[in-house]
Amino acid sequence: MSDYDSGDDLLADINIDGLVATSKRARSNDEDDYQQSEQKQVCKRIKVKDNDVHHEARAHQILKDRFGFDDFRHEQRSAIQSILRGENTLVIFPTGAGKSLCYQIPAIAFEQLDAESGDGRPDGSGITIVVSPLIALMKDQVDSLKRKGISAECMDSTKTYEQQQETKRALREGRLRLLYCAPERLNNEGFVESMKYVPGGIRLIAVDEAHCISEWGHSFRPDYLKVARFAEEIKAERVICLTATATPRVADDVCKAFNIKESNVYRTSPYRPNLQLLAESMKTKQDKYPRLFEFLRMYRGSTLVYVTLQKQAEVLADDLQAQGFNAVAFHAGLGSEEKAKIQDEFMASEIPIVVATIAFGMGIDKPDIRNIIHFDLSSTVEEYSQQIGRAGRDGLESHCMFYICPEDFYLRENFARGDLPSRDSLRGLLKEVFNQEVIDIARGEGFKINHYQLSQDYDIRPSPLNILLATLELRFGLFRAVTPEYSSYKYEATNKYGYFTKIEKTRAGRAIFNNAKKAVKLYDIDVTATARDLGMPRNDIVRRLNELNDIGALVLKVSGVQNKYRVLKPLPQTDEEIDDLVDKLYADMESREIDALNRVQQVADLITGSKCFAHALADHFGMGLPDGKTSCGHCTYCLTGKPIVLPPKPHRPVDISGINKILDACDVRDDPRFLARVAFGIKSPRVTRLKLDKIQEFASLEDHDFDSLLKEFTRACDAVAREPNVQREPLVKRESNSARGSATKRGRDAKRGSSSSGHGSYNQRGSYNGRGSYGSFSRGGSYRK
Ligand code: ADP
Ligand code: MG
């Protein structure tokens, strides 16, 4: 099954504002009560203290008996107490500091504490739900808990039918202590519904990587925004949010979302005295190679070299091998077996050097990583901090080297500039989402959209598209994502199938058995047509299919996910209303782009600033160095007493002939930003569809300033728009390469337009010579792409 369970559209709408207001009200009423009786307050304080002491004893016992550790680390103890007291809590500890225990210990403790306090729950002691973004990490944790005899499961798409059934049974029977799931699952109403009826209730929701909830976080995930709503809906008793990387602004966002008091925020400074934070600047990327080789010869031991691109990981690993190092590449593009093998061999110190993209390291807990090298510019200070945090967990001296040169910024800008669509794209998208058919649907009913198709049609990458839709849902309250629907329902008969077809009494069930058509192995049922022909709700059939799946009559296989939304408010209809929304969303997205660019600059500032690196890093997260110190004494700044100087970016005039070549090669005049992306080498759905990433002009102006490119292409597009005889093509058009020829004239027109706008003078100068920013070092010192 896919990660979404199919389910029914049963849930009543819940207004988030209403919920938040109610919970706030409940809190302030509580406070009034306390004020009424001082006596009560004193009693309560004594009780809380007694309870804390008791809780701590239990927590400590679990720490020893189940996890085999003698003492709590950092603020684990306080965070666990806060949770056991029933209060929402935020934990900000660096990676590897031990955040997981802050929810695992309470999850185990509830049962015993219930029994001891005498207010045990007749139905069971409930469960802890852990929301975590990465399936692999969830699995590791679940396996490790199971080995300790703790009942934990993971709700994810890779589970077999039998495994899913077993998890559901364990939930019903109150045998499960922890249930892990990805945030996307919260869009599944069947899941949300079933969590409302877990025996003993939801004692705790743990939100791992909680910074993802903040739009200001470095990895904002819109589905995370729904966790707070979920917690309210399923009446979770308390929430713990955990992150390694929260700036004060992000921490503030998390606290607001979950009503966390400042006194329940527990932080540990990211400062690690055994890490030497080092950096070097150079003129070009190529200058980095000899420095890297020298470094690796000097500092032996387990080493991670971080790069940005998959390709570059491979090429650099090859280069290192050619230099006699035992190095391998690791990135998300490798097969899962290969990845697991590399990880195992690195863990066992059989491979000393891994050249990796950001994909490596999550969940890697190797104590003796001696060196972390940044061969490229990190996208954020948070990412840098997380990656260096993997070094020296054994407390021994370790080195973190950062190589920086002006070229590094091009690639980073490339990433940062890829998400902002043009206004026309945005307008087109909204017009389609709020088309007449959707508008005509009465409030409270649903509409379906296919994210993939929208992304293709309006040239908006999947990630910003998700953010856009989540913004329309959560900020503007226009609709709510409900359980995604599938366009295809198939099933396999179990050995009990025949029996169930005979005893089936429900109308929906009969409809299924009468209308499903058997192919070779699978039965295929057209749910929509069957429902229409029989005049019954589609949901009845879907629900019954799921029930038949649950009772073992059949094994359901669904595919072709379609996202479904329920309309909550009158939708924008007129051009003015749409434009108004476009303005607001566009402003949002523009500031997100600026944010992304600023975050890269912050990394560079940290490395080139006039401040101790460790101090600057702690400062970024709103903390200082221990004992109010302002220098670590062993970073490059402290050692040299001078800031690293970054050579200036070479300034190049805009290469107009290069611009013209791109205009010749691309049959697009409706979106200057799109053309600038092609010139700069940024992929988008439309770029891929038109196969423009395969032409030689792609990325041919990657060493230019993006805004200058944008200016030139805007001129070219405006020139076409002004020409009365040229018909502009709409954005949504299934373009094909064969259509190019027909529009060559427009290409020429635009070319004329652009050269007539006053740039002929340096038209032919400085023709592009194919700089390869991702080349590699070869023995002769030459540079190959
Ligand atoms: P985080 O989530 O903060 O990155 P983890 O929870 O994965 O860190 O813990 C990292 C490692 O530290 C794990 O191997 C864990 O068992 C260990 N650990 C956690 N708490 C303690 C403790 N109190 N004493 C010793 N080891 C601990
Ligand atoms: Mg963790």
Side-chain angles (χ1 to χ4, degrees), residues 402-414:
F402 203 123
Y403 294 117
I404 188 167
C405 74
E407 272 170 66
D408 294 340
F409 289 86
Y410 296 125
L411 185 68
R412 278 288 148 222
E413 185 162 2
N414 186 312

Side-chain angles (χ1 to χ4, degrees), residues 34 60 63 70 74 174 213 232 268 279 345 758:
Y34 301 154
H60 199 258
L63 178 76
D70 288 333
H74 313 290
I213 203 172
E232 298 281 0
T268 298
E345 290 178 1

Side-chain angles (χ1 to χ4, degrees), residues 63 69 71-73 76 94-101 365:
L63 178 76
F69 300 135
D71 286 305
F72 285 113
R73 274 185 188 167
Q76 280 176 332
T95 309
K99 290 183 284 299
S100 325
L101 285 189
D365 189 18

Side-chain angles (χ1 to χ4, degrees), residues 542-553:
V542 172
R543 188 186 301 122
R544 190 60 193 153
L545 273 169
N546 277 285
E547 287 166 358
L548 289 167
N549 175 71
D550 287 353
I551 58 176

Side-chain angles (χ1 to χ4, degrees), residues 19-30:
L19 278 168
V20 173
T22 327
S23 76
K24 277 191 190 139
R25 233 177 289 128
R27 261 158 230 255
S28 59
N29 282 347
D30 270 0

